[in-house]
Amino acid sequence: MKILLIGNGGRENAIARKIHESKLFADTGSKLYVTQGNPGINEFAEPVNIHPTEINLLINFALKEKIDLTVVGPEIPLSLGIVNEFENKGLKIFGPTREASEIESSKVFSKKLMLENNIPTADYRSFSKDNLKEAKEFFNYCKYPIVIKADGLAAGKGVVIAGNAGEANETVIEFCESKIFGEAGVKFIAEEFLEGEEVSVFVITDGEEYKVLPFSQDHKKINDGDRGKNTGGMGAVAPVKKLMNEDLEKSIRTKIIEPVLKALKNSGRKFKGCLYCGLMISGNEPSVIEFNCRFGDPEAQAVLPLIESDFLGLLLAASSGNAIEFSKFSKFSELKNYDLKFNDSYSCCVVIVSGGYPDKFETGKEIKGLGNINDTGIESKAIVFHSGTKFSDDRTKILTAGGRVLS
Ligand code: AMP
Ligand code: GLY
């Protein structure tokens, strides 16, 4: 089987490793390609020099190489419609369509969907650049803190928790007038601040059936003690056993997962792929903070190593497209029949970032000692995933190439 992985960060390193260790991958003499990748991903996948957003070039490559399955890591190609375009050519692909991925790319859409379908979430109001005056009036009487979110994709930076009207006004002016987020931010929502404990839940779905992976917890603040600026994620643990009790799991399934999948399907936006539910748990009841249309980073690095059953089989079962005859893999052809199993370990993922991140940081620094990770005995199960790394031009060294470097 030939597989193409789209993306090149830590999450994609975890996906590549997991696909590579799949029995199905070995049994079918498979080959994995990746859009450029990085030194960590390239241990498992051959780089293809196409950017994740160059959809036409990716389609040409997939057709020419007869790719059996494409797996999309990041949200941007999904929101650009990579799945729609691949499906139009009859190519099998793991991920939601452009319309379904609006669950992440438009906060206004996802909040409206939740409201219309009684899915528990924070109360909110939506505003746009054209009714800033109303927003400012609202900020005079609303309860603080309040959470202000830019509407489009803003790489984890479009959320501000404002403590008073002054901060709220400053935030929306920045969102709208200086357009720091481009189109994201021209529309925004202001929502109630939720208290509780956050949990990330990955739901693998073909749009009808679904399987839930072990819960994880992301730690977003840059400093120890949950202080400082928000980042894309500084680390994650899984499973979050203290939040995995029968009643809560049932509420998450019946009040959130099932209604949202049904609502998406009924509105003609059937969701296939990984639905990421970012939840706040308060008094053993869940509320939705956000939905994402893909695996989280760094949660994927913590969660995927816990999967015992065949990961490639899981991705295949949840993928759309009809070009390929999967009869020889028939036991994986339906998600309904897929027996999802986990091992009973725990994982703790720590992200190593460049000094200065999430603001300005330097790149191009040599990374040494990567080969020693398992020398100390106790870490014999440690795994290093690469996010922002690259080879030096002469390929003798590994250099830093981003804010989040390793996990
Ligand atoms: P998001 O980009 O929507 O994941 O938001 C980033 C972070 O902001 C979340 O992980 C939460 O820690 C925090 N956050 C977002 N919305 C709320 C809310 N309504 N109440 C409390 N915290 C929130
Ligand atoms: N770690 C949060 C995210 O991937 O959105």
Side-chain angles (χ1 to χ4, degrees):
M1 207 182 322
K2 284 186 175 179
I3 299 154
L4 170 63
L5 174 62
I6 312 286
N8 42 33
R11 163 185 48 211
E12 287 74 28
N13 195 165
I15 294 173
R17 178 179 180 276
K18 204 67 199 168
I19 289 176
H20 198 264
E21 75 180 28
S22 144
K23 186 168 180 301
L24 180 60
F25 186 86
D27 287 353
T28 53
S30 303
K31 182 159 185 183
L32 179 61
Y33 296 93
V34 65
T35 49
Q36 296 155 340
N38 65 35
I41 303 174
N42 297 156
E43 275 182 40
F44 309 106
E46 187 175 312
V48 179
N49 199 14
I50 306 176
H51 191 268
T53 58
E54 293 177 311
I55 295 175
N56 286 333
L57 295 181
L58 291 168
I59 287 178
N60 291 343
F61 175 82
L63 290 171
K64 185 168 149 266
E65 289 297 324
K66 299 195 166 57
I67 297 291
D68 296 287
L69 175 69
T70 298
V71 180
V72 189
E75 62 276 18
I76 292 179
L78 294 169
S79 70
L80 292 174
I82 189 170
V83 170
N84 308 56
E85 306 282 332
F86 269 62
E87 282 181 1
N88 284 342
K89 299 282 182 207
L91 290 161
K92 198 167 179 74
I93 185 161
F94 177 85
T97 58
R98 181 196 295 114
E99 296 73 24
S101 63
E102 272 198 26
I103 191 96
E104 169 167 4
S105 63
S106 169
K107 302 269 187 204
V108 172
F109 167 72
S110 77
K111 290 298 279 193
K112 191 161 167 276
L113 189 82
M114 286 187 257
L115 193 74
E116 287 170 357
N117 292 279
N118 294 318
I119 296 170
T121 188
D123 273 346
Y124 77 106
R125 292 269 308 263
S126 57
F127 299 98
S128 74
K129 198 179 172 191
D130 305 325
N131 64 358
L132 264 192
K133 211 171 139 239
E134 268 173 50
K136 288 181 180 172
E137 275 162 24
F138 174 71
F139 293 146
N140 282 335
Y141 66 80
C142 72
K143 205 172 135 219
Y144 288 94
I146 194 153
V147 186
I148 305 175
K149 301 184 174 184
D151 184 53
L153 294 176
K157 294 183 185 132
V159 176
V160 172
I161 297 171
N164 53 51
E167 285 174 21
N169 284 319
E170 248 169 61
T171 302
V172 299
I173 286 168
E174 239 177 272
F175 276 9
C176 295
E177 290 174 7
S178 66
K179 279 205 185 171
I180 50 173
F181 305 115
E183 283 307 303
V186 176
K187 282 198 236 160
F188 58 91
I189 62 166
E191 73 175 25
E192 173 198 12
F193 179 82
L194 299 170
E195 312 251 11
E197 183 117 36
E198 282 186 63
V199 68
S200 305
V201 179
F202 293 163
V203 178
I204 308 297
T205 178
D206 58 9
E208 316 255 349
E209 299 289 330
Y210 69 91
K211 303 280 172 187
V212 181
L213 301 189
F215 296 3
S216 59
Q217 205 161 42
D218 182 12
H219 295 266
K220 285 211 163 82
K221 296 279 165 62
I222 185 73
N223 296 325
D224 286 349
D226 212 18
R227 282 194 300 261
K229 287 196 170 170
N230 251 354
T231 68
M234 295 299 292
V237 293
V240 190
K241 279 274 162 78
K242 65 177 173 184
L243 295 178
M244 294 180 72
N245 60 70
E246 223 174 273
D247 288 346
L248 179 60
E249 285 183 42
K250 187 167 172 231
S251 295
I252 293 174
R253 283 174 185 272
T254 57
K255 296 182 184 166
I256 294 170
I257 300 173
E258 287 161 19
V260 76
L261 293 180
K262 195 167 159 214
L264 283 164
K265 185 180 159 208
N266 290 346
S267 62
R269 301 175 188 239
K270 189 159 146 176
F271 188 104
K272 289 159 289 175
C274 175
L275 179 69
Y276 166 130
C277 309
L279 308 177
M280 186 70 88
I281 311 300
S282 186
N284 216 37
E285 280 298 325
S287 300
V288 177
I289 291 184
E290 61 165 349
F291 287 116
N292 291 325
C293 62
R294 33 94 196 159
F295 289 103
D297 186 336
E299 291 98 320
Q301 292 92 304
V303 172
L304 299 193
L306 302 178
I307 300 176
E308 193 73 47
S309 43
D310 198 288
F311 184 62
L312 178 56
L314 179 64
L315 299 179
L316 275 173
S319 300
S320 58
N322 51 20
I324 294 98
E325 254 315 317
F326 278 92
S327 52
K328 58 184 167 178
F329 318 125
S330 59
K331 83 181 159 109
F332 292 110
S333 64
E334 288 196 346
L335 194 59
K336 192 166 60 187
N337 302 330
Y338 182 90
D339 186 17
L340 180 60
K341 288 207 173 74
F342 312 108
N343 58 50
D344 57 6
S345 2
Y346 292 79
S347 43
C348 172
C349 164
V350 178
V351 180
I352 302 178
V353 304
S354 300
Y357 175 81
D359 297 322
K360 250 182 95 176
F361 53 83
E362 292 175 16
T363 58
K365 301 198 187 285
E366 185 179 357
I367 304 168
K368 293 184 192 154
L370 283 169
N372 305 341
I373 187 70
N374 285 323
D375 287 357
T376 49
I378 189 166
E379 287 111 4
S380 62
K381 284 189 177 167
I383 308 166
V384 180
F385 296 111
H386 291 230
S387 303
T389 68
K390 65 171 189 186
F391 284 115
S392 58
D393 288 342
D394 63 4
R395 295 185 74 83
T396 58
K397 294 180 189 137
I398 294 180
L399 308 176
T400 67
R404 291 194 288 180
V405 177
L406 298 168
S407 52

